[in-house]
Amino acid sequence: MNVDKIIVPLDVPDLDSAIALVDELPQVTFWKVGLELFTSTGPKILDILKSQEKRIFLDLKFHDIPNTVAGACRAAASYGVDLLTIHTTCGKDALKAAAEAVQIGAEKAGTKPPKLIAITLLTSISARQLAFDLKIPLELPEFALEMALLAQESGLNGAVCSPQEVQQLRASCEKDFLLVCPGVRPTWAEKGDQKRSLTPSQAITAGADYLVIGRPITAAAVPELAWNQIVEELKI
Ligand SMILES: O=c1ccn([C@@H]2O[C@H](COP(=O)(O)O)[C@@H](O)[C@H]2O)c(=O)[nH]1
């Protein structure tokens, strides 16, 4: 396995903290920029990561009507990032509009289009919350699968799912449909707000293409040691 399969989120409040983390973990080749950092600093961090030849997952989780997500996807595709997210629950029209928009945005900017991947069900939602709070009358694995299939039918490149659903999605989706798993926890790490986790090696064995591993590394006393331990456990 390649270390490129491990994506580390830059879930920090400002640019200085983000740069400090990137400098502290030079081994990390794939970083995720999410809502907190992008809202506070805008696209500056993307230029910094690109100047260091890092790969970028821009995890903005768009969720809006077709016209609005298309505009957002056109703009995001111009940054030349590798992965971009949207919620499947935007619906088929919005997903199709978004898939088309990333091609248009990237072409206009003269850059490679990002892989557009859909959130099936946030990894912080439990089966109980799905049924009782969100009132979804499907079993959780079935709902996650339906959302992944909807994303695939709508022309998206992959899905974000918890490691607990990845085996089922891998068996049902096309071979080149990317499966990206947050909610990954080594046995020695706190689960925090993640409700449907597995260990890194279990997630890879189940068929994940990429693992997103944040706080077990970034909140560790020595992030480099935590990274090394995960890499060792994965026998990379
Ligand atoms: O369903 C989802 C979608 C995205 N995320 C993001 O992944 C990381 C996980 O960080 P940890 O510290 O390893 O929990 C975080 O940036 C989330 O926004 C997710 O967890 N679940």
Side-chain angles (χ1 to χ4, degrees), residues 209-224:
D209 293 297
Y210 292 102
L211 309 180
V212 178
I213 312 179
R215 286 162 289 179
I217 299 170
T218 56
V222 184
E224 191 181 5

Side-chain angles (χ1 to χ4, degrees), residues 9 11 32 59 61 122-123 160 182 185 194 212-216:
D11 287 335
K32 182 170 90 68
D59 184 20
K61 299 188 185 71
L122 290 169
T123 54
V160 176
R185 289 290 183 266
Q194 297 289 358
V212 178
I213 312 179
R215 286 162 289 179

Side-chain angles (χ1 to χ4, degrees), residues 7-11 32-36 57 59 61 85 87 119-125 160-162 180-186 190-194 196 212-219:
I7 303 175
V8 181
L10 278 168
D11 287 335
K32 182 170 90 68
V33 174
L35 292 172
E36 182 182 7
F57 174 5
D59 184 20
K61 299 188 185 71
T85 44
H87 279 281
I119 311 288
T120 52
L121 178 69
L122 290 169
T123 54
S124 55
I125 305 283
V160 176
C161 63
S162 100
V180 178
C181 290
V184 175
R185 289 290 183 266
E190 300 279 332
K191 291 209 171 38
D193 48 7
Q194 297 289 358
R196 311 193 316 276
V212 178
I213 312 179
R215 286 162 289 179
I217 299 170
T218 56

Side-chain angles (χ1 to χ4, degrees), residues 139-229:
E139 294 296 327
L140 192 151
E142 193 186 347
F143 179 75
L145 178 60
E146 290 297 340
M147 293 301 101
L149 294 174
L150 174 64
Q152 186 175 265
E153 276 166 38
S154 309
L156 270 69
N157 305 107
V160 176
C161 63
S162 100
Q164 294 188 7
E165 293 101 51
V166 73
Q167 187 170 14
Q168 187 195 5
L169 267 55
R170 185 77 290 156
S172 307
C173 297
E174 303 288 341
K175 291 238 169 328
D176 61 351
F177 192 71
L178 291 175
L179 296 175
V180 178
C181 290
V184 175
R185 289 290 183 266
T187 50
W188 41 266
E190 300 279 332
K191 291 209 171 38
D193 48 7
Q194 297 289 358
K195 299 278 169 45
R196 311 193 316 276
S197 59
L198 289 181
T199 67
S201 49
Q202 286 170 330
I204 289 290
T205 306
D209 293 297
Y210 292 102
L211 309 180
V212 178
I213 312 179
R215 286 162 289 179
I217 299 170
T218 56
V222 184
E224 191 181 5
L225 288 184
W227 166 268
N228 288 343
Q229 194 167 340

